[in-house]
Amino acid sequence: MTSLHASTGHGSEELSTAIDEGAEALLRAQRPDGVFDYGASNLRSTLATAGAVAALHFADPEGAADLIAAGAERLRRTQDADGGWAMVPGLSSEPGPTAVSAAALHLVDPVGSAEQVAAGRRWMADYGGLEAIPHPEVVLWCRQFYGLVGWIEPGDMRRFPLELALLPGLYRRVFDLRLPMASALGLAQTRHRPLNPAQRLLARWAEPRALRGIRQAFEHEDSAGSWSEDAWVTGLVCIGLARAGLGRDMVEAAVGWFRRTMDADGSWATTPLDAAWTMYAVRGLVEAGYAEDPRLAASRDLFVRLQQHRPFLAFGCPPGFWGWSRERGWPAVLETGEILSALSRLPGTGQADAIRAGVAWLTDRQDDRGSWGLCVRNTRVANSGPCPMTTAQAVDALLDSGVPAADRRIRRALRWLSRVQRPEGGFESVWYREHSMGTAAVLETFARCGRAGDETAVRAREWLLGARNEDGSWGDGHGAAGTVEETGWVVASLLAAGVEPAAVEPGVRWLLDSRLPDGGWTPRPVHEYVRRVSRYANPGFTHGMALRALGRYRDATR
């Protein structure tokens, strides 16, 4: 590995060239409306396709026969050679997509897909069955599909306690983001699952409230036919409503939405990530010195347009938030925090009101314990409950927006972070794999608060330095090969924490050597769709993190 001296000579030229070419590679993905768009190759989802064909089977099997056939063919075509399916076709097989895809094919085409279904079930058996899946939520959804096709008895499907809808606050905390899906499937269970008399009576009382929550989410998206613009989520809701014989207008709208959104190859997509691609791209460009670039004005204005000014009633969220997708997306602390940070670092005054509203929303969403989760306060739901990385991101947003480090909101968050640090010094992250990125996020937050010398920060820094791979990169922190995303975040965080540039130089060297001929970098699936079960890549994040690290290294060595 060659040495890198950024302050003078050839190394400085190489670093500047890498930043400039990387920035231009990133900006080539920007649309005129400011979105950094990577949707063409990154959103086609196996779960979305399986959910769509299953929903159409129950909602309109004859009228949508062409869509069902095309979707089933897509599933057969994207099955891996080992018999399994991946969330993103082309990656390694995963248990959730495999279980759901095999069941969906058996549901819609048991004869024509018998070979593929058998191969999928063999893969699941070799994996260890549903019980071996390391996430209870995935097991829950898979068991629903197994029940639909008779592979388990209806009574063995987990019951969604519809009676909790009589207590709206508790209902939201129990189900969080899953409330529309759980409500719809719970409504179906009142017709198809054995219930005792008390459960049946309570379900009858709760039915209008559960249906209202589904409709609130539906109407938030202007009754266009989807929930979260996601074929998987929409499929689950549509399956439940169709089997319950309720919300027929919503079911018909969903069928129309499925028809409008099916790709020519027979697939459906997960939620468009307009905001999630763009926020990391913009943040990386800003840290690489492009804040004044006029091309970013479009993205700044996009963020202002995407902020939502009406409450999300289904989740009890006030206005002022951002989601991961478009103007009517679902609320998220992670996106709200990152976009606030980006807006605060961009020039101009037109975003001031948006920043104030976003800060108020984050304040409202902070848990009693000091943490932040996805969007519902005080929930402990796996995959959307309190998250160290999300909490660090929310604190960073408050700091960027002008909130002082001594503020009570920030002090409470730091205390909570110190309590949940792992014994070896790392931190969890709900939305990014394993521990490198969560630990990097928390370390930087402590450093920005002037607390890089706290025991929590020192232990995090030492863990990160000890988790570096021999080639200078960082992976998941537990021996996995390095990625641009993890290396970039860790390098940037260590520099923010005051580590000498020489200590991260091997990581910078690795980032420079990992460049593609067009100046960009290769995205890796380090984002958790469901923690430790399904992952995906975000090229905007990849390039943004590389530029963040290189920009900070350049600044640190000047």
Side-chain angles (χ1 to χ4, degrees):
M1 181 178 294
T2 59
S3 178
L4 176 68
H5 300 285
S7 56
T8 59
H10 175 72
S12 176
E13 294 177 4
E14 181 184 19
L15 184 62
S16 295
T17 298
I19 291 173
D20 292 343
E21 292 183 353
E24 293 304 321
L26 185 51
L27 284 160
R28 284 195 290 272
Q30 188 186 32
R31 299 193 316 229
D33 64 357
V35 172
F36 286 76
D37 189 356
Y38 294 97
S41 59
N42 289 280
L43 292 178
R44 298 296 153 196
S45 159
T46 298
L47 281 181
T49 303
V53 298
L56 291 167
H57 171 82
F58 289 110
D60 189 10
E62 295 183 2
D66 57 330
L67 303 183
I68 296 170
E73 175 56 30
R74 164 75 176 184
L75 290 175
R76 288 191 292 266
R77 193 168 62 250
T78 55
Q79 187 175 27
D80 290 336
D82 61 8
W85 280 268
M87 173 70 175
V88 179
L91 300 179
S92 299
S93 297
E94 300 165 312
T98 299
V100 170
S101 296
L105 282 176
H106 185 72
L107 179 71
V108 304
D109 186 19
V111 176
S113 299
E115 180 180 343
Q116 289 80 11
V117 171
R121 299 202 71 183
R122 284 194 299 271
W123 191 96
M124 286 301 303
D126 292 340
Y127 179 80
L130 298 183
E131 295 73 18
I133 298 176
H135 200 294
E137 178 189 337
V138 179
V139 176
L140 183 155
W141 301 127
C142 291
R143 290 182 72 83
Q144 298 300 310
F145 273 77
Y146 274 31
L148 293 177
V149 296
W151 293 346
I152 62 173
E153 294 299 320
D156 293 331
M157 299 165 68
R158 177 178 168 181
R159 189 175 77 86
F160 293 100
L162 205 63
E163 60 270 17
L164 291 182
L166 297 169
L167 303 168
L170 177 61
Y171 197 43
R172 295 186 192 111
R173 290 195 297 275
V174 168
F175 288 114
D176 195 80
L177 185 73
R178 298 131 190 91
L179 189 145
M181 299 89 85
S183 296
L185 294 171
L187 290 168
Q189 287 181 346
T190 64
R191 275 73 171 170
H192 299 284
R193 188 184 190 279
L195 301 176
N196 64 43
Q199 290 171 340
R200 194 167 295 281
L201 177 63
L202 289 170
R204 188 158 56 246
W205 288 344
E207 185 173 291
R209 290 177 180 263
L211 197 59
R212 182 170 62 192
I214 297 169
R215 188 170 293 280
Q216 285 172 336
F218 175 77
E219 292 178 347
H220 189 88
E221 298 180 53
D222 295 333
S223 304
S226 71
W227 285 264
S228 191
E229 296 183 82
D230 188 321
W232 167 246
V233 174
T234 301
L236 291 176
V237 176
C238 187
I239 287 169
L241 290 177
R243 296 187 77 229
L246 296 169
R248 189 61 205 174
D249 63 314
M250 292 188 281
V251 172
E252 291 175 354
V255 171
W257 182 83
F258 283 130
R259 183 167 290 282
R260 294 193 303 274
T261 57
M262 188 186 76
D263 193 72
D265 64 7
S267 68
W268 280 269
T270 57
T271 306
L273 300 177
D274 288 9
W277 290 315
T278 305
M279 64 188 191
Y280 286 120
V282 170
R283 177 73 178 272
L285 287 164
V286 167
E287 298 228 27
Y290 281 74
E292 302 286 345
D293 191 298
R295 290 171 289 186
L296 292 190
S299 297
R300 178 198 61 207
D301 296 342
L302 169 79
F303 290 144
V304 174
R305 290 197 307 274
L306 291 181
Q307 189 175 36
Q308 300 200 38
H309 301 291
R310 59 178 179 175
F312 199 97
L313 298 174
F315 299 156
C317 287
F321 60 87
W322 284 270
W324 50 85
S325 56
R326 297 171 179 160
E327 289 87 348
R328 293 291 179 260
W330 290 13
V333 166
L334 189 153
E335 277 73 17
T336 299
E338 187 68 18
I339 290 172
L340 274 176
S341 288
L343 283 176
S344 298
R345 292 163 181 257
L346 287 168
T349 58
Q351 65 267 42
D353 288 342
I355 292 171
R356 281 192 289 269
V359 168
W361 190 84
L362 282 181
T363 301
D364 181 84
R365 294 293 90 191
Q366 188 174 24
D367 298 332
D368 290 341
R369 52 188 165 257
S371 58
W372 276 272
L374 178 63
C375 63
V376 174
R377 294 184 69 248
N378 297 324
T379 182
R380 294 185 181 274
V381 177
N383 227 52
S384 58
C387 169
M389 190 280 302
T390 302
T391 299
Q393 206 150 15
V395 171
D396 287 350
L398 295 178
L399 294 169
D400 285 328
S401 302
V403 176
D407 186 271
R408 182 173 180 270
R409 291 164 287 185
I410 293 176
R411 289 187 285 109
R412 291 174 59 226
L414 296 184
R415 283 197 299 270
W416 179 82
L417 288 168
S418 293
R419 291 197 300 270
V420 299
Q421 188 171 27
R422 290 165 55 86
E424 74 279 8
F427 282 91
E428 294 284 350
S429 171
V430 167
W431 300 108
Y432 301 97
R433 74 170 184 172
E434 298 305 335
H435 303 108
S436 291
M437 292 188 280
T439 308
V442 173
L443 173 60
E444 180 168 342
T445 296
F446 269 79
R448 294 192 61 194
C449 292
R451 296 174 60 173
D454 282 17
E455 180 184 357
T456 300
V458 170
R459 292 175 60 216
R461 182 178 68 243
E462 294 307 311
W463 185 86
L464 287 171
L465 290 170
R468 180 165 51 195
N469 294 330
E470 290 185 2
D471 62 2
S473 69
W474 275 267
D476 63 2
H478 303 286
T483 67
V484 171
E485 297 86 351
E486 288 155 323
T487 303
W489 203 336
V490 173
V491 167
S493 171
L494 290 172
L495 289 170
V499 171
E500 288 296 321
V504 299
E505 186 176 300
V508 174
R509 178 74 265 165
W510 186 89
L511 288 172
L512 293 174
D513 291 342
S514 299
R515 297 168 61 221
L516 299 171
D518 68 353
W521 289 269
T522 300
R524 299 297 182 193
V526 298
H527 298 258
E528 301 278 21
Y529 188 76
V530 178
R531 186 147 178 78
R532 297 192 175 99
V533 176
S534 291
R535 294 177 174 139
Y536 66 97
N538 177 342
F541 179 78
T542 307
H543 291 75
M545 278 300 168
L547 289 173
R548 185 184 301 192
L550 296 181
R552 287 190 187 178
Y553 182 79
R554 179 179 60 186
D555 292 344
T557 54
R558 279 176 170 169

